[in-house]
Amino acid sequence: MKHRIVVLGAGYAGAFAAGNLARRLSPADIEITVVNAEPDFVERMRLHELAVGRDLPFRKLADVFAGTGVRLLLARVTGVDPERRTVAVAGDDGDGELAYDTLLYALGSSVARHGVPGVAEYAFDVTGRSSALRLRERLAGLGEGGTVLVVGEGLTGMETATEVAESRPDLSVALAARGEPGDWLSPKARRHLRRAFDRLGITVHEHTGIEAVEPMRAVAAGGRSIPAEVTVWSAGFAVHPLAAASGLEVAETGQIVVDRSMRSVSHPDVYAAGDCAYAIGENGRPLPMSCASAGLTNMQATAAIVARLTGGEVPITGLKYYGNHISLGRRDAIFQMVDGDVRPKSWYLGGRTAARLKSGVLKTAGWGIAHPTFGMPKRKRRPVATPDRAAVRVAA
């Protein structure tokens, strides 16, 4: 009987992992199934572009995995039973159950509402295609002088605010930040960010926590009102409570607690990658929810799965965070390098060069998704009937 690998989610982490596993493992012995609710791969890093009217090329997952041996199941994951090693799904053909021998959990994250009144009812976000398209429709209906408030000083907030301001100079765009936007950047990069906000006419409300969202305004601490015909909520990410409900050990964030090889500390048949993995980086801190972390964790998880199935030693892949790349519209960006303690280095790259670099990163990621196996090698590894090697090799 074939060893059944089930990958939950076909975002950056899940899609890359499924292709990597198909590339390295023999289809004569391994069966790989990817479960995803949407039929297309969604470039989440570009959803703020979709929201302002740019048409993005969506790739059909059926085409992405065609010829790779990966089976695609279009369904929504409704439950995981790690004791029985099954996944409950719901799709167009009804409810069902999928059995696995190895599970890779990569369901990603969504917007974190933090229990703020009115966010669920009135705010918009760009964490999914449907929500970005909803924002797109609302922005298209705003006339000259319409007010847009982006809440959140993180990467998503800054990218969304600058994208809206550049694409719609007829709108009044503001950003509400609990602290100072870019306060973690180097002084030079911070000045570059401030100049970009000024150039695009973005009003910044610093040290402003939003306590409620209403149809035509947001309410800040102390009852101060900020006009907002459209409020875009980008105050962080949250994972689905599915993992916690399944009995997997999770952190306070709801992320699955994993060891250095991305293996669940409570259930050895389960691995996690991407935003839903509570992984500790080389600096001793949890990796942030980001596309960069998705790449690091999916490479480690797939390497561990392949090694354990084929009787090899589990290698250590790097879990070092190198920096942040922030788009500031189409023709400007900031690339800020950080040190091992995630403190900004004095050097940064900005302007059109940084924007071209970001464009290259996006194109490379898109190409990688379109070619998930990077070409099918002639030689693939087959599982062995030796005990699982749980030890992790220490990197030299």
Side-chain angles (χ1 to χ4, degrees):
M1 183 177 178
K2 292 184 178 182
H3 186 94
R4 299 159 298 183
I5 300 176
V6 174
V7 180
L8 303 184
Y12 290 107
F16 276 118
N20 198 10
L21 291 168
R23 181 175 186 270
R24 300 171 66 184
L25 294 170
S26 168
D29 309 285
I30 305 293
E31 177 182 277
I32 302 171
T33 301
V34 174
V35 183
N36 200 63
E38 292 198 42
D40 304 325
F41 174 77
V42 176
E43 291 187 86
R44 184 167 174 175
M45 289 191 293
R46 301 183 65 187
L47 286 178
H48 58 286
E49 298 177 22
L50 179 67
V52 300
R54 187 171 184 178
D55 293 325
L56 304 181
F58 289 99
R59 297 173 176 84
K60 294 289 184 184
L61 288 171
D63 296 334
V64 167
F65 293 120
T68 65
V70 174
R71 174 195 173 206
L72 174 65
L73 176 62
L74 296 178
R76 181 171 53 88
V77 179
T78 58
V80 176
D81 188 337
E83 306 303 330
R84 296 176 52 239
R85 293 192 299 186
T86 59
V87 176
V89 298
D92 292 341
D93 297 328
D95 298 346
E97 194 172 78
L98 194 62
Y100 67 83
D101 298 301
T102 297
L103 180 71
L104 178 55
Y105 192 110
L107 289 176
S109 62
S110 59
V111 64
R113 298 188 174 97
H114 302 297
V116 175
V119 172
E121 295 84 0
Y122 305 117
F124 297 79
D125 67 82
V126 291
T127 57
R129 180 169 64 172
S130 60
S131 57
L133 288 173
R134 177 172 165 261
L135 173 58
R136 175 177 176 148
E137 182 180 4
R138 182 69 182 95
L139 289 174
L142 287 182
E144 184 175 353
T147 53
V148 177
L149 175 68
V150 179
V151 180
E153 67 273 23
L155 304 186
T156 302
M158 290 188 283
E159 291 192 332
T160 302
T162 51
E163 190 75 28
V164 173
E166 182 180 84
S167 300
R168 291 291 306 274
D170 59 314
L171 300 178
S172 175
V173 180
L175 177 74
R178 285 190 174 274
E180 177 189 350
D183 58 2
W184 45 270
L185 294 170
S186 64
K188 290 182 180 180
R190 201 178 310 140
R191 287 194 293 271
H192 185 113
L193 176 66
R194 180 63 66 177
R195 288 194 299 268
F197 285 159
D198 292 342
R199 171 175 54 84
L200 294 169
I202 298 171
T203 300
V204 178
H205 300 281
E206 295 183 351
H207 307 288
T208 301
I210 300 301
E211 297 187 345
V213 176
E214 297 178 1
M216 295 295 290
R217 68 169 189 160
V219 181
R224 181 163 68 95
S225 178
I226 301 176
E229 293 174 75
V230 175
T231 297
V232 184
W233 195 262
S234 57
F237 303 122
V239 299
H240 196 281
L242 184 67
S246 72
L248 292 165
E249 184 172 336
V250 299
E252 290 184 2
T253 57
Q255 296 168 288
I256 298 172
V257 180
V258 294
D259 63 16
R260 186 57 180 77
S261 68
M262 301 303 117
R263 195 183 206 179
S264 164
V265 298
S266 61
H267 294 80
D269 301 315
V270 178
Y271 293 77
D275 287 353
C276 56
Y278 188 79
I280 305 301
E282 293 177 12
N283 59 7
R285 303 176 184 177
L287 290 177
M289 295 186 187
S290 68
C291 183
S293 298
L296 298 174
T297 54
N298 99 70
M299 286 190 291
Q300 177 63 79
T302 53
I305 291 171
V306 171
R308 287 182 171 124
L309 289 179
T310 58
E313 291 183 325
V314 177
I316 288 293
T317 62
L319 293 180
K320 183 177 180 180
Y321 205 74
Y322 290 96
N324 295 113
H325 208 155
I326 312 164
S327 295
L328 302 173
R330 308 285 170 82
R331 297 177 294 276
D332 193 6
I334 290 173
F335 182 57
Q336 176 68 69
M337 298 289 289
V338 299
D339 63 18
D341 293 320
V342 200
R343 292 176 301 196
K345 295 183 177 180
S346 59
W347 178 87
Y348 89 101
L349 186 66
R352 289 182 179 270
T353 302
R356 286 194 289 268
L357 177 59
K358 179 64 178 288
S359 177
V361 170
L362 294 173
K363 289 179 180 178
T364 300
W367 187 92
I369 291 297
H371 305 81
T373 58
F374 294 89
M376 302 293 286
K378 294 181 180 179
R379 182 181 179 184
K380 296 192 178 186
R381 303 176 69 178
R382 305 189 69 170
V384 296
T386 57
D388 180 5
R389 297 189 182 184
V392 178
R393 177 175 57 84
V394 177

